[in-house]
Amino acid sequence: MQRDEKFVGYALYFYNYSACEGRTLFMEDLFVRVEYRSEEYYTAHARLAAITSEFAFFLDMGLGTALMRECAKVAMAKDCSRMQWEVHDCNAKAMRLYERVGGKYFKEWLSIRMDKANLARFAAEQADTTMSCSTKSR
């Protein structure tokens, strides 16, 4: 996203699939430069006597919200059943934004990650089964 010919933020997404719900838009990353985030923008421009249309834009719908809304529009256009993303538990500002736009936390699902060392170890292990697995793409 650009504002006044400056890069101010982006939303990075891709599609994945749920066996139960179909296509999902997964928002991998949402970034808005600090000086263009609503709270910082408001603080930096508090001296404004009247709210201009540009100022109102930042107060009423911040750039993070605007980027998320564009992702939601893409998800709807691509017939996705949902939009999904993750947030670090220490990012309180982002969590407030996500709750405000209607995001829900699923405490019954946990993120699982395998680091590179364990990935290499696991991939190199010999299987204890006589079944063969095809790794060819279809």
Side-chain angles (χ1 to χ4, degrees):
M1 175 178 273
Q2 290 187 346
R3 188 109 174 123
D4 302 324
E5 298 183 21
K6 292 181 184 175
F7 167 78
V8 297
Y10 66 88
L12 175 65
Y13 66 88
F14 58 87
Y15 303 105
N16 62 15
Y17 293 85
S18 163
C20 299
E21 296 189 37
R23 185 189 304 229
T24 298
L25 185 144
F26 188 87
M27 187 175 62
E28 173 65 27
D29 199 8
L30 177 68
F31 173 78
V32 176
R33 289 176 59 174
V34 173
E35 62 270 26
Y36 285 92
R37 295 177 189 167
S38 293
E39 291 177 31
E40 287 77 5
Y41 190 86
Y42 175 79
T43 302
H45 293 81
R47 67 186 182 283
L48 291 175
I51 295 180
T52 64
S53 60
E54 179 186 14
F55 189 55
F57 170 80
F58 281 95
L59 289 179
D60 296 340
M61 185 181 75
L63 295 178
T65 304
L67 287 165
M68 288 187 72
R69 183 165 287 119
E70 288 304 312
C71 286
K73 288 177 182 178
V74 169
M76 294 304 297
K78 295 294 185 179
D79 198 29
C80 294
S81 62
R82 64 187 179 196
M83 185 165 109
Q84 189 169 333
W85 62 93
E86 295 178 348
V87 61
H88 197 282
D89 64 359
C90 71
N91 193 343
K93 284 183 181 181
M95 292 169 78
R96 284 193 301 272
L97 166 64
Y98 299 153
E99 289 171 359
R100 194 169 57 244
V101 300
K104 305 286 183 216
Y105 297 100
F106 289 95
K107 292 182 170 84
E108 65 273 11
W109 288 94
L110 301 175
S111 291
I112 300 171
R113 182 180 299 169
M114 189 180 293
D115 64 22
K116 191 167 186 173
N118 283 318
L119 184 63
R121 177 198 48 77
F122 183 64
E125 287 178 359
Q126 295 297 320
D128 293 333
T129 179
T130 56
M131 289 178 46
S132 65
C133 296
S134 174
T135 57
K136 289 184 178 181
S137 296
R138 294 178 186 226

